[in-house]
Amino acid sequence: MTELDVAELQRRLARFAEVRGWGRYHTPKNLASALSVEAAELVEIFQWLTPEESARVMESADTAARVTDEVADVLAYLLQLCEVLGIDALGALAAKIERNEGRFPV
């Protein structure tokens, strides 16, 4: 996949779960919980770093790999949650940005 397509990624995630028999566990509640756990694992990497250290976290190959994996996990669960609930993730984000631009003018 050279150009990323959110819908295709969602289909791949759904197929991945389906062929393993995990689909029945992918309820909105479980996916939201899993998303929270993965976000916490991302936070854990940064927990005791200074602001300066956190800005350099991608300089270490090992830490960069951990951060990248946790970001991927967070995104995967978010996309799966959107798929189950019928939410257009990019459309929701665009609408939220527009609302925020109105709420917080320059």
Side-chain angles (χ1 to χ4, degrees):
M1 201 174 357
T2 56
E3 188 172 316
L4 294 179
D5 177 326
V6 171
E8 175 57 24
L9 291 172
Q10 286 176 299
R11 285 190 293 275
R12 285 183 66 191
L13 288 164
R15 279 193 305 270
F16 182 88
E18 182 182 326
V19 298
R20 288 162 178 79
W22 298 347
R24 65 181 179 263
Y25 304 113
H26 286 193
T27 64
K29 174 196 152 298
N30 288 349
L31 291 169
S33 295
L35 174 59
S36 176
V37 169
E38 294 301 339
E41 290 178 4
L42 178 60
V43 170
E44 183 181 30
I45 296 167
F46 293 90
Q47 185 174 9
W48 301 113
L49 300 180
T50 65
E52 296 77 22
E53 289 168 335
S54 71
R56 295 189 312 270
V57 76
M58 299 303 282
E59 292 174 6
S60 160
D62 289 342
T63 306
R66 288 178 54 218
V67 169
T68 300
D69 279 349
E70 294 306 336
V71 166
D73 288 342
V74 168
L75 183 56
Y77 279 118
L78 181 59
L79 290 177
Q80 289 174 88
L81 181 62
C82 288
E83 178 75 13
V84 166
L85 295 176
I87 296 171
D88 170 5
L90 296 182
L93 178 57
K96 181 66 174 187
I97 291 170
E98 190 171 320
R99 284 194 307 278
N100 283 344
E101 288 171 341
R103 288 180 57 210
F104 305 103
V106 178

